[in-house]
Amino acid sequence: MTTTLVRAACPHDCPDTCAIVVTVEGGKAIKVHGDPRHPPTHGSLCTKVSRYTERTYHEGRVLHPMRRVGPKGSGRFERVGWDEALADIAARLARIAGPDGANAEAIVPYSYAGTMGMLQGESIAARFFHQLGASLLDRTICSSAGGEALAATYGAKIGMHVEHYAESHLIVIWGSNSITSNLHFWTHAQQAKRAGAKLICIDPRRTETAEKCHEHIALLPGTDGALALGVMHELIAHDWLDHDYIARHTEGWPALRERALAWPPERVAAVCGIAADAVRSLARDYGTTQPAAIRLNYGMQRARGGGNAVRLVAILPCLIGAWRHRAGGLLLSASGWFRHARNDAALQRRDLLGKRRPRTINMSTIGDDLLRETGEALPDGARFGPKIEALVVYNSNPVAVAPQSVRVAQGFAREDLFTVVLEHFMTDTADLADYVLPATTQLEHLDLHTAYGHTYAMLNEPAIAPLGEALPNTEIFRRLAARMGFDDPCFADSDEALARIAFRAPAEGGVDFTALREHGWVKLDIAEAPFAEGGFATPNGKCRIDAPGYGVPDYLPNYESATSTPELARRFPLAMISPPERNFLNSSFVNVTSLRGIDGEPVLEIDAGDAAKRGIETGQRVRIWNDRGAIECKAVVGTRARPGVVNGLGVWWKKLAKDGHNANELTHQHLTDIGRGPSFYDCLVEVEPASATRPPSR
Ligand SMILES: Nc1nc2c(c(=O)[nH]1)N[C@H]1C(S)=C(S)[C@@H](COP(=O)(O)OP(=O)(O)OC[C@H]3O[C@@H](n4cnc5c(=O)[nH]c(N)nc54)[C@H](O)[C@@H]3O)O[C@H]1N2
Ligand SMILES: Nc1nc2c(c(=O)[nH]1)N[C@H]1C(S)=C(S)[C@@H](COP(=O)(O)OP(=O)(O)OC[C@H]3O[C@@H](n4cnc5c(=O)[nH]c(N)nc54)[C@H](O)[C@@H]3O)O[C@H]1N2
Ligand SMILES: [Mo]
């Protein structure tokens, strides 16, 4: 039997985007391992992706087109041929779109980052929906608050090289559980720690990462903006400022300086629920250590004021001149470094819209939007447009991941909604589809990747033939386009042809495809300390402390908190956050038995004092509820949760949880201050021992 090694890239929504080598024997992928030559990920894979063959050959893979036979949600499907499925889907979409596509906005694509691939993400799919004139989708569910906030401040989502954290003398890990969600960064941080650097973690939860740092500041969720203002207060009071850097490379500091002076440590401490000395000590470390680096991540931006909080934290490196060093500054996302390299216009062909300007649906309010009628008045006074009649879902599992999922599931359950889901598995979303179409996994298709935690463009070669009748997303939309009679030649582009146009040419700041094919990855050409002399991506190169359209950032209290909604807080006194679970990737991998087995069932972490007050002990089943829903979990009492905050880990498949529910039944659809994102971690609940007689109904 011949053994071949195939070069691949991890497709998942994670900053690390690892280089993978797949071992193939007799046409079967038998093993995946990290590629040790890839500098940012150096040959190690996480627990999840090292099980990728188990996921690909999983007995639950959808391998044939399936059509619903029972009532919506009954889970009864029959196998149909591709031709029959595509003919019927095309006919139904054409009927909904109406003559001349006048009602095409009633059709909505729903996709996110199940794969982050440039081809299997938004290439032929985007062309298809543009040609159709379907509603556009605002892809806000993960990072839009922080992303837009960073771009408002620095002009783009750009920051430090992840490798340089190894040389930092102080690392502040702010709103991130690196060991869980950014493992390869953690390797660099550990290197720095061994060389004597101090590590500080700012996170309401005592995470695996927090317990390995020298200090942990367990603030209340959504209060990071106040903490950043408090740090500024101390930097000013002790004159730990780099006046020269501020004068030359920022604009708007005087107004923020004024604002920060109103935030002495005692006020910050009261808002954040921490000791005033913790604020002083953080500011002293930050103001007196160089090079100082912040690893900011998306945890803090999932609350009402998340965008402003990101802006406040992002400004700190300018105040102390941290950017002068290559091991100083900040990294939230590196994806903006690829903005000139990617040729999304060529891949996605927005020009196919012509003069049409379809409405935009925000994916974070899909629950409400699926339940709206034609022309309904919206909270901002605008009108909704046509009722949503069809959804085409790919690379996403909205029934599990979108906020306030009681409403989402209600929407998906509409008998008059036509839903097509392209998937690997029968997820909670696929269960509510009219058609489920089998998609290939990363081992079975060609793709290209950029990254948001490092600066290497990557290639993924197919390692094995598609299983069963599975097809790449690109091919499914190609065939559907043909059925719809879309005759623009762009719908005939093969994956190979798409790969060759996905990046601009090297002379235009792009990536050489031949080099990519030869080496598997290409590093972008970026200066070692890119902002040592300012030169941010803003029009005048300065950090915009006062940014047009955003103003000077400020602390905004949560939608739900003791100060903003005291009456609600009396009924629901605990703040719930629901951060990622180490052994899953959002809702992906929940169905991989060996990974689910590690935890067995969803848990709720609760502080010992809060538990004692409610008569709750570890291992006991508890009911967690608010006005939006109720779920049941196993309680874990202990030090991971701080007083007043409970942690419900992971986005479980509802149907694989004992009670058939997940944490998103408690979250709401209010959007963040910046970027129109969800505020998953801005959520009040109450907890009690689950009674044997009362089911978790609402
Ligand atoms: N294993 C694993 N890895 C993942 C994922 C996964 O599900 N599992 N998800 C991937 C995805 S989609 C993303 S976007 C990234 C996310 O990457 P990160 O943003 O780094 O991910 P998290 O681990 O969610 O870190 C968020 C941390 O913020 C904390 N937090 C919650 N609220 C607040 C707050 O108000 N302030 C502060 N300071 N901290 C807060 C949480 O307790 C959590 O520890 O991770 C990716 N990597
Ligand atoms: N309560 C709470 N909710 C959250 C979060 C949280 O922290 N707390 N995190 C949020 C965040 S950060 C994010 S990014 C979202 C993530 O939400 P999603 O992007 O929906 O992520 P997943 O849950 O991983 O679902 C991705 C689906 O895509 C499928 N898929 C993968 N590759 C392919 C492919 O090539 N083709 C097709 N057709 N399908 C494919 C997978 O099988 C999987 O079912 O969830 C958000 N929801
Ligand atoms: Mo995400």
Side-chain angles (χ1 to χ4, degrees):
M1 211 185 297
T2 53
T3 301
T4 48
L5 297 179
V6 180
R7 210 173 252 157
C10 178
H12 288 294
D13 188 351
C14 167
D16 296 17
T17 313
C18 293
I20 296 180
V21 180
V22 188
T23 309
V24 183
E25 262 182 30
K28 190 164 189 238
I30 56 163
K31 194 173 81 181
V32 298
H33 64 267
D35 191 334
R37 299 168 312 137
H38 186 232
T41 62
H42 42 74
S44 55
L45 292 181
C46 66
T47 324
K48 307 172 290 298
V49 174
S50 55
R51 309 278 218 289
Y52 204 80
T53 54
E54 195 182 327
R55 185 177 186 278
T56 292
Y57 294 109
H58 193 284
E59 59 180 12
R61 269 292 292 279
V62 178
L63 295 176
H64 308 279
M66 307 290 282
R67 177 168 58 202
R68 170 167 76 94
V69 285
K72 277 243 163 141
S74 64
R76 294 216 307 278
F77 290 83
E78 64 179 1
R79 183 174 159 182
V80 287
W82 269 113
D83 283 345
E84 193 183 344
L86 293 175
D88 190 27
I89 294 167
R92 295 195 57 178
L93 293 181
R95 206 177 317 140
I96 292 167
D100 302 325
N103 193 46
E105 287 180 309
I107 301 167
V108 178
Y110 197 98
S111 69
Y112 200 64
T115 168
M116 300 210 60
M118 297 170 77
L119 310 190
Q120 306 310 331
E122 307 310 321
S123 68
I124 301 281
R127 294 177 180 184
F128 177 84
F129 293 108
H130 288 149
Q131 178 69 52
L132 184 61
S135 288
L136 303 172
L137 187 72
D138 199 0
R139 293 184 171 79
T140 55
I141 203 154
C142 168
S143 59
S144 63
E148 191 176 317
L150 195 68
T153 314
Y154 287 124
K157 293 161 86 170
I158 46 182
M160 286 173 63
H161 294 263
V162 68
E163 298 92 328
H164 295 162
Y165 280 86
E167 300 159 16
S168 307
H169 290 180
L170 174 71
I171 301 179
V172 182
I173 301 176
W174 203 326
S176 180
N177 182 4
S178 318
I179 294 180
T180 280
S181 58
N182 190 189
L183 190 60
H184 298 87
F185 157 77
W186 180 249
T187 310
H188 301 300
Q190 264 180 312
Q191 242 173 298
K193 191 179 171 190
R194 279 194 296 271
K198 181 166 185 181
L199 270 54
I200 302 175
C201 184
I202 304 176
D203 193 313
R205 176 171 183 252
R206 190 160 184 84
T207 61
E208 301 85 333
T209 310
E211 66 194 7
K212 292 196 172 56
C213 290
H214 298 98
E215 269 167 38
H216 172 210
I217 302 178
L219 78 186
L220 287 167
T223 62
D224 301 270
L227 181 57
L229 284 162
V231 171
M232 288 178 196
H233 179 279
E234 294 299 284
L235 296 180
I236 299 164
H238 296 272
D239 196 21
W240 290 321
L241 298 168
D242 185 333
H243 295 282
D244 173 62
Y245 197 93
I246 295 172
R248 288 198 292 135
H249 305 307
T250 71
E251 56 192 3
W253 170 239
L256 182 57
R257 183 179 183 281
E258 202 60 33
R259 182 163 284 166
L261 286 174
W263 284 91
E266 284 69 22
R267 180 177 176 203
V268 175
V271 168
C272 300
I274 56 176
D277 277 345
V279 185
R280 289 194 189 94
S281 137
L282 172 65
R284 174 172 306 274
D285 285 332
Y286 193 68
T288 60
T289 316
Q290 297 271 11
I294 299 176
R295 180 62 172 116
L296 179 60
N297 226 316
Y298 289 113
M300 75 159 57
Q301 47 111 62
R302 308 198 197 291
R304 175 184 168 223
N308 269 274
V310 166
R311 292 203 62 215
L312 286 164
V313 175
I315 288 163
L316 291 172
C318 289
L319 303 185
I320 62 160
W323 291 115
R324 292 184 189 274
H325 313 268
R326 73 173 194 173
L330 165 129
L331 179 63
L332 168 59
S333 168
S335 67
W337 289 120
F338 293 92
R339 67 197 188 285
H340 303 305
R342 290 173 68 114
N343 197 352
D344 288 333
L347 274 187
Q348 302 176 3
R349 295 291 308 272
R350 213 180 157 100
D351 58 293
L352 292 168
L353 279 171
K355 290 200 167 61
R356 296 169 297 173
R357 289 289 169 271
R359 66 158 169 211
T360 300
I361 296 287
N362 184 341
M363 70 189 304
S364 301
T365 55
I366 192 66
D368 279 349
D369 289 343
L370 279 175
L371 298 172
R372 291 190 199 284
E373 296 298 329
T374 300
E376 189 175 311
L378 297 172
D380 63 3
R383 294 268 165 195
F384 183 59
K387 180 172 179 168
I388 300 176
E389 292 181 58
L391 267 180
V392 183
V393 182
Y394 51 104
N395 305 340
S396 186
N397 183 10
V399 173
V401 306
Q404 203 176 359
S405 72
V406 177
R407 303 266 297 164
V408 182
Q410 216 179 319
F412 269 84
R414 274 174 43 201
E415 281 292 340
D416 64 342
L417 179 74
F418 178 59
T419 305
V420 179
V421 177
L422 285 61
E423 251 301 347
H424 299 151
F425 297 109
M426 290 306 294
T427 58
D428 291 332
T429 305
D431 280 346
L432 289 161
D434 293 279
Y435 277 98
V436 183
L437 303 179
T440 46
T441 68
Q442 189 78 341
L443 300 187
E444 301 152 73
H445 55 228
L446 174 69
D447 220 330
L448 296 175
H449 290 261
T450 56
Y452 63 95
H454 61 69
T455 51
Y456 290 70
M458 323 249 306
L459 177 76
N460 178 77
E461 300 275 15
I464 56 171
L467 300 191
E469 292 185 284
L471 293 175
N473 290 342
T474 42
E475 180 61 15
I476 298 176
F477 283 106
R478 231 177 252 126
R479 293 190 187 184
L480 204 50
R483 292 275 171 182
M484 301 285 292
F486 297 167
D487 54 9
D488 190 291
C490 76
F491 289 105
D493 284 357
S494 65
D495 283 10
E496 178 74 23
L498 293 170
R500 289 178 182 278
I501 59 162
F503 288 111
R504 285 178 217 286
E508 301 164 39
V511 173
D512 181 2
F513 185 70
T514 315
L516 199 54
R517 204 148 242 168
E518 200 170 313
H519 306 297
W521 57 79
V522 170
K523 186 172 171 42
L524 297 182
D525 184 16
I526 299 160
E528 293 281 285
F531 312 119
E533 285 300 324
F536 299 107
T538 51
N540 64 4
K542 293 191 180 193
C543 164
R544 290 186 296 214
I545 293 173
D546 187 353
Y550 300 90
V552 177
D554 202 355
Y555 161 67
L556 295 177
N558 279 0
Y559 283 112
E560 301 191 344
S561 71
T563 41
S564 31
T565 50
E567 175 49 31
L568 193 74
R570 264 191 291 281
R571 289 167 54 222
F572 302 113
L574 297 168
M576 183 191 77
I577 57 172
S578 47
E581 150 77 57
R582 184 171 185 179
N583 299 306
F584 305 146
L585 198 294
N586 301 319
S587 80
S588 296
F589 293 98
V590 179
N591 61 326
V592 174
T593 318
S594 66
L595 291 169
R596 192 169 72 252
I598 299 171
D599 295 297
E601 60 179 306
V603 299
L604 183 86
E605 297 169 347
I606 182 166
D607 158 72
D610 289 332
K613 259 188 259 169
R614 293 166 174 81
I616 293 168
E617 288 170 18
T618 289
Q620 196 174 345
R621 287 192 71 71
V622 288
R623 178 172 179 270
I624 310 139
W625 85 101
N626 59 23
D627 289 336
R628 294 175 287 271
I631 64 172
E632 278 189 16
C633 287
K634 185 174 81 177
V636 175
V637 179
T639 50
R640 290 226 188 269
R642 58 153 286 155
V645 181
V646 292
N647 316 318
L649 296 191
V651 188
W652 278 69
W653 284 21
K654 296 180 188 181
K655 64 177 172 186
L656 294 180
K658 270 190 183 161
D659 68 337
H661 299 275
N662 81 12
N664 274 324
E665 301 188 33
L666 305 172
T667 56
H668 54 68
Q669 297 174 72
H670 297 309
L671 301 178
T672 49
D673 54 346
I674 293 177
R676 309 160 308 281
S679 35
F680 291 114
Y681 304 167
D682 179 339
C683 176
L684 290 181
V685 299
E686 179 55 297
V687 182
E688 66 181 9
S691 85
T693 50
R694 182 147 61 145
S697 60
R698 56 195 77 87

